Amino acid sequence: MRNLIDPIAFTIGPIKVHWYGIIMASAFLVGMYLAYRRAEQTNIHPEHIINMITLIIPAAIVGARLYYVIFEWQRYADNPWETLAVWHGGLAIHGGLIGGILAGYFYVRKHKLPVWQIADICAPSVIIGQAIGRWGNFINQEAHGGPVSLQFISKFPEFIKNQMFIDGRYYHPTFLYESLWDFSVFVFLFLYWKKKRFEGEIALLYLVLYSLGRYFIEAMRTDSLMLGPFRVAQLVSLFLIVTGTAVIIYRRKKTKHKE
């Protein structure tokens, strides 16, 4: 009998508390703390970060769920109430980014804050949150890749090996690949902060670097959202890589010209 991790962490009376929810809440809290501390080091009042995140979190969750449900509507057409069961998984990161960015932009414009500076403060928090959040997919046995051999999966820790045994087969722990990539991007952005050449560079580098890793990891996954024959996440990643790189080059040249 394999020691699978129970997706329910504990119960309080009739309420079941899922590991997925605990992990996602932890991701938000860590991100909030880091953004708050970074704001303290700048001319942005840190209370703006708390106020903004109270809007961003629900907007990101709604955006992530809507994005997923839209592309997977055939799974929910006969049971629309299941669209509310976010603890079963099914939160698309790109949808969460769209929802979060829109909410954040609304707050920044309302309070006349510097958009690019706020984006730089938030970007490292977003990527570390994604790195943590992928472990929620691990608990739910989702966001994995294709089948692998016992010899291959045995190179991983036993608890990962056991959790990646699904319906009689072992699968690529792509959640782990993306979590490690996201954490590496976070470390780079954290170290690069003092070297940034213009406001917004950290945010743009986040979009480019995250998308670069996501593009290749997405090719290994078995649960990709599809648009015809194309993987939606790969299309979005390509767009963000090209657009983000172009803006970085343009703004670096513009900054150099001013200097």
Side-chain angles (χ1 to χ4, degrees):
M1 183 69 179
R2 298 183 183 278
N3 297 318
L4 293 180
I5 300 173
D6 190 338
I8 299 174
F10 57 89
T11 59
I12 303 175
I15 301 173
K16 297 179 180 180
V17 180
H18 292 249
W19 278 115
Y20 189 87
I22 293 174
I23 292 171
M24 296 304 293
S26 300
F28 282 123
L29 288 174
V30 170
M32 182 187 298
Y33 171 77
L34 292 174
Y36 187 93
R37 291 299 303 272
R38 180 62 74 183
E40 287 182 323
Q41 300 166 11
T42 66
N43 61 343
I44 302 297
H45 198 294
E47 284 189 6
H48 280 303
I49 299 300
I50 301 299
N51 294 335
M52 184 171 61
I53 288 178
T54 59
L55 292 177
I56 288 177
I57 290 177
I61 293 173
V62 171
R65 188 59 171 173
L66 280 177
Y67 189 97
Y68 183 85
V69 169
I70 287 170
F71 283 101
E72 290 286 296
W73 178 244
Q74 66 276 10
R75 295 177 55 181
Y76 301 99
D78 295 330
N79 186 17
W81 287 108
E82 182 65 18
T83 60
L84 302 177
V86 294
W87 52 88
H88 292 160
L91 296 176
I93 286 176
H94 286 131
L97 287 176
I98 293 171
I101 288 172
L102 290 175
Y105 184 75
F106 168 79
Y107 182 90
V108 167
R109 294 293 294 178
K110 180 180 179 180
H111 293 274
K112 299 180 180 179
L113 299 173
V115 175
W116 284 114
Q117 189 175 4
I118 294 294
D120 278 350
I121 290 173
C122 294
S125 294
V126 174
I127 194 68
I128 194 64
Q130 290 174 239
I132 295 170
R134 277 302 175 198
W135 289 87
N137 298 134
F138 165 68
I139 298 294
N140 284 354
Q141 294 183 303
E142 60 187 6
H144 58 72
V148 295
S149 65
L150 174 61
Q151 182 181 7
F152 178 86
I153 200 67
S154 294
K155 298 175 183 177
F156 295 87
E158 193 70 15
F159 75 100
I160 290 179
K161 172 186 171 183
N162 290 339
Q163 202 71 3
M164 286 296 98
F165 189 75
I166 305 167
D167 296 330
R169 304 191 72 173
Y170 290 106
Y171 289 88
H172 264 297
T174 47
F175 83 92
L176 177 63
Y177 306 158
E178 186 167 334
S179 180
L180 292 174
W181 174 258
D182 291 349
F183 182 74
S184 299
V185 173
F186 165 75
V187 171
F188 171 78
L189 295 179
F190 183 83
L191 297 175
Y192 187 78
W193 181 276
K194 292 183 179 180
K195 300 179 181 179
K196 66 175 182 174
R197 304 179 190 179
F198 58 86
E199 296 294 350
E201 187 174 20
I202 297 296
L204 291 167
L205 284 171
Y206 153 69
L207 289 176
V208 172
L209 293 175
Y210 164 67
S211 299
L212 184 64
R214 179 62 185 271
Y215 178 84
F216 289 104
I217 295 170
E218 188 68 23
M220 305 171 66
R221 286 176 54 170
T222 59
D223 61 343
S224 298
L225 301 177
M226 305 298 292
L227 185 62
F230 302 104
R231 298 174 189 259
V232 176
Q234 285 190 312
L235 293 176
V236 175
S237 294
L238 279 176
F239 173 78
L240 292 176
I241 291 169
V242 173
T243 303
T245 301
V247 175
I248 289 173
I249 293 172
Y250 170 76
R251 296 200 65 188
R252 281 185 177 179
K253 288 182 177 179
K254 188 176 180 180
T255 301
K256 186 176 180 180
H257 179 70
K258 287 182 178 180
E259 293 174 352

